[in-house]
Amino acid sequence: PVPAGLPGDPDPEEAVSDDSSRHGGRVRGFPHERGNWATHVYLPYFAQEEFLELLELLVSRARTYVPSLAAMEEFHLSLSQCVVLRYHWIDPFVRSLRERLAAFHRFFCVADQVKVYTNQNKTRTFIGLEVSAGHFQLLELVSEVDTVLEEFDLPTFYKNPSFHISLAWCVGDLSGKLEGQCLRELQDIVDGFEDSAFLLRVQWEQIRCKSGNKYFSFPLR
């Protein structure tokens, strides 16, 4: 059945534009194909004013090493890779996720360890806050999400994942410039930030799935 609330398939005559200059030089992880919907399961993080103040300090310091670094505009913790769903799979995929995640309760994580990441094809570099407490609950969630992905023959999440909230990014593999001295300075900023212990203790209240331009929410109990 056609998923309720979703737009119809785009007009096949409509031209597809994939100009990387229109989105900061980012390169697609997989080619665009009509009828395919990029899909991602994650925990959304809604930044407080104090968190944005910390972010500004971190990005300002990191830009002395990599001037092209840009702060993230939205924040989340991933529970899946970005995968491709066919249009007619979206509704059953979301329904299966909802069933699998229905029993989970709200929980806390601590995300206070600065770490540098690159994507799989090394086209982007990220600075993130890695989770230092709450790992077990996240692995339980990933296990359920992976089960749904396997039902649709889609790639599961990374083995031994480093759960994190991305803070900033840049094009290319610039991890060498951000690791070492820069990373130590960024960790010092986090450790010395007023109320950072309280600020970086995050309560997760919902899981989201983004498919194309549509969002689906799964509240935790």
Side-chain angles (χ1 to χ4, degrees), residues 16 31 45 57-58 69 71 76 89 94 107 112 124 147 151 205 213 216 220:
V16 175
Y45 175 65
L57 289 174
L58 292 170
L69 206 65
H76 66 266
W89 290 351
V94 169
F107 65 99
D112 59 358
R124 297 176 75 193
T147 298
E151 290 175 12
E205 299 184 349
N213 60 355
F216 304 90
L220 297 171

Side-chain angles (χ1 to χ4, degrees), residues 16-155:
V16 175
S17 174
D18 196 18
D19 182 0
S20 66
S21 66
R22 296 176 60 187
H23 35 85
R26 288 172 288 180
V27 179
R28 285 185 183 274
F30 43 82
H32 174 85
E33 288 185 26
R34 205 170 294 284
N36 284 351
W37 290 61
T39 302
H40 178 219
V41 183
Y42 61 94
L43 292 159
Y45 175 65
F46 304 104
Q48 304 171 34
E49 185 176 346
E50 294 86 351
F51 181 85
L52 297 177
E53 291 173 4
L54 174 58
L55 175 67
E56 185 176 353
L57 289 174
L58 292 170
V59 173
S60 178
R61 179 65 60 87
R63 280 178 179 155
T64 65
Y65 292 86
V66 177
S68 62
L69 206 65
M72 304 294 290
E73 296 179 356
E74 296 181 349
F75 307 93
H76 66 266
L77 187 150
S78 292
L79 298 174
S80 78
Q81 299 187 58
C82 186
V83 298
V84 176
L85 277 180
R86 299 297 294 171
Y87 178 77
H88 58 279
W89 290 351
I90 296 172
D91 196 43
F93 181 84
V94 169
R95 187 166 56 246
S96 186
L97 270 182
R98 196 175 301 280
E99 292 170 358
R100 284 277 174 183
L101 300 174
F104 281 89
H105 292 262
R106 299 178 183 185
F107 65 99
F108 286 95
C109 278
V110 177
D112 59 358
Q113 300 299 305
V114 186
K115 192 167 180 179
V116 176
Y117 299 89
T118 57
N119 61 355
Q120 283 185 301
N121 52 10
K122 305 292 185 182
T123 59
R124 297 176 75 193
T125 304
F126 300 85
I127 295 173
L129 286 173
E130 185 182 32
V131 166
S132 62
H135 197 81
F136 177 75
Q137 291 95 326
L138 293 170
L139 286 175
E140 285 190 318
L141 284 176
V142 165
S143 177
E144 296 298 334
V145 174
D146 277 352
T147 298
V148 177
L149 291 166
E150 287 172 342
E151 290 175 12
F152 290 82
D153 199 25
L154 294 169

